[in-house]
Amino acid sequence: MTISLTIHHEHPEPEHIQRAAQTLQQGGLVAFPTETVYGLGANALDENAVQKIFTAKGRPSEDPLIIHLSSVEQLPQVCATVPETAQLLAEKFWPGPLTLILPKNKHVPYAVTAGLETVAVRVPSHPVAQALLKSCNLPIAAPSANRFGHTSPTLATHVMHDLDGRIDIILDGGPASIGVESTVLDISTSPARILRPGGVPREALEALLGPIDVLDVKRKAEAGLPSPGLLEKHYAPRAELVFFLSQDAREQMLVYLSGEKARGRTVGVLAAQEEAPAFEKAGALAYRLGDSNDTAQIAKRLYAGMRWLDRQKVDVILCRDFGEAGLGLAIRDRLRRAAVKVIH
Ligand code: TXA
Ligand code: MG
């Protein structure tokens, strides 16, 4: 049985936090809100507890987990060394949606890192996550709280849908404010390299570090997996998602839409606010993501939109690219991985 506890997102009730913290200390599983998506937490230093995460999610063991800390001061509990660049980034972006890849120390079980000598760490800013991490006083391993390969949860109901009966507690703290996962940054290379675009935009990192690279998911899939677990196909809804990366995406989507309708298929569109009426007129079910220039709003509603259209049982979901600025890069990455077809 999974217990769902409704908790205030800014001033979490101490009794709920204590109960969840105790469960973590005893080796249990707790789903909790972070500013990016909901996480599924376990004591990172307890190998048995960590194994339960993989079982609950149906996640392959070669996919490493992110360790969550309450503050930068806890880094020595899981890292062998803390490079100066990490300190600099931590000062600027923690607490917040940035994950750093650092050398692991001997206390971190290889189950967390999938056998790697490095460990992914971040300090989340969500008040519920903060309160929980402080109260249990442990480093907490937490992937997104969804079944493996499914869309990441931005609401507690999404977690329930995927993991009810498989985990001990869900802290329901309302919607995740950013809506896509953290940016994963490898600072061991020069220049540093984004392994997964996310909540901290590339521009913000470059303002501090100078030019950085972004790992190309396509090339990586061909060359093998330098970062295990960054599988190409991921974050997928049940419906067939078609992603339009071309200049004239809007027109192409309308053509594609009428083709699908002619074949008797139902079509959903993850649409920019101002573009939704045209798709509706053409017979699609449109989910309004937000203004096309507002990548923060689009990111926030992206996963909820995929899950919503799935619930309406559409056969196909269409979505276009929203550029690279701000959270655009993270949105593109997730859509590319969720898509069965990319139209250039
Ligand atoms: O926003 C987030 O990051 C959320 C919340 C819950 O914090 N967590 C999350 O975890 O997205 P997960 O497990 O779904 O994604 C972890 C990512 C994977 O892409 C994995 O490959 C990468 O981090 N990763 C973990 N450890 C790594 C390592 N040692 N080297 C390279 N990549 C690593
Ligand atoms: Mg995930």
Side-chain angles (χ1 to χ4, degrees):
M1 247 279 289
T2 299
I3 297 162
S4 175
L5 301 171
T6 303
I7 192 160
H8 196 281
H9 69 284
E10 274 177 336
H11 307 287
E13 293 79 352
E15 65 272 22
H16 292 342
I17 291 294
Q18 263 163 31
R19 184 160 175 193
Q22 244 166 35
T23 300
L24 289 170
Q25 284 160 347
Q26 291 161 3
L29 297 183
V30 174
F32 59 96
T34 83
E35 68 278 19
T36 57
V37 299
Y38 273 73
L40 175 58
N43 178 359
L45 306 180
D46 175 346
E47 187 157 359
N48 268 326
V50 171
Q51 288 301 349
K52 290 185 195 166
I53 292 179
F54 289 93
T55 308
K57 282 189 59 121
R59 178 172 170 129
S61 58
E62 61 272 15
D63 199 353
L65 307 176
I66 296 174
I67 293 187
H68 296 65
L69 305 174
S70 65
S71 77
V72 64
E73 279 78 50
Q74 273 191 315
L75 269 182
Q77 290 184 28
V78 295
C79 296
T81 55
V82 181
E84 211 175 304
T85 315
Q87 284 292 349
L88 208 68
L89 286 160
E91 266 168 47
K92 176 98 178 127
F93 296 105
W94 283 354
L98 178 68
T99 295
L100 298 176
I101 307 299
L102 298 171
K104 82 183 263 301
N105 73 13
K106 61 178 194 295
H107 304 296
V108 177
Y110 284 109
V112 172
T113 69
L116 297 174
E117 293 302 332
T118 53
V119 62
V121 275
R122 86 175 187 100
V123 175
S125 64
H126 195 293
V128 173
Q130 272 289 328
L132 183 63
L133 290 164
K134 284 210 179 79
S135 173
C136 71
N137 195 25
L138 288 168
I140 296 297
S144 50
N146 51 281
R147 290 282 288 176
F148 179 70
H150 202 189
T151 310
S152 292
T154 53
L155 284 172
T157 51
H158 300 160
V159 180
M160 266 301 194
H161 179 270
D162 278 22
L163 299 175
D164 191 13
R166 296 175 161 268
I167 64 178
D168 298 300
I169 294 180
I170 295 182
L171 295 175
D172 180 353
S177 58
I178 295 174
V180 290
E181 299 85 343
S182 61
T183 301
V184 178
L185 185 69
D186 180 1
I187 53 171
S188 70
T189 58
S190 184
R193 192 163 62 148
I194 292 178
L195 301 181
R196 178 182 72 183
V200 173
R202 177 188 193 164
E203 307 88 281
L205 294 170
E206 290 191 325
L208 191 72
L209 301 179
I212 54 177
D213 283 342
V214 181
L215 179 70
D216 184 330
V217 183
K218 273 258 161 54
R219 263 206 330 254
K220 180 184 53 98
E222 283 154 16
L225 289 170
S227 171
L230 285 168
L231 303 172
E232 186 168 2
K233 181 94 175 106
H234 216 84
Y235 312 99
R238 214 177 29 231
E240 214 176 283
L241 195 140
V242 184
F243 179 37
F244 292 78
L245 253 170
S246 52
Q247 281 298 325
D248 56 345
R250 212 180 74 101
E251 289 69 33
Q252 283 197 325
M253 284 164 81
L254 285 166
V255 172
Y256 198 95
L257 165 54
S258 67
E260 290 294 303
K261 297 281 298 175
R263 293 169 53 208
R265 310 232 293 164
T266 54
V267 181
V269 181
L270 293 166
Q273 186 78 27
E274 67 273 23
E275 295 169 2
F279 294 119
E280 283 167 343
K281 223 167 141 195
L285 195 58
Y287 181 90
R288 287 162 170 74
L289 292 170
D291 189 279
S292 62
N293 296 316
D294 190 351
T295 56
Q297 181 67 12
I298 292 170
K300 184 173 179 164
R301 290 174 59 78
L302 184 68
Y303 290 147
M306 288 184 193
R307 283 186 185 253
W308 186 81
L309 287 171
D310 259 348
R311 279 202 308 280
Q312 313 312 308
K313 304 211 160 38
V314 297
D315 299 313
V316 196
I317 297 176
L318 312 182
C319 189
R320 74 165 171 93
D321 186 54
F322 292 99
E324 295 187 356
L327 295 194
L329 206 57
I331 294 165
R332 177 186 294 173
D333 174 76
R334 303 310 187 271
L335 285 168
R336 203 178 236 158
R337 294 189 212 211
V340 295
K341 206 191 294 182
V342 179
I343 299 199
H344 294 271

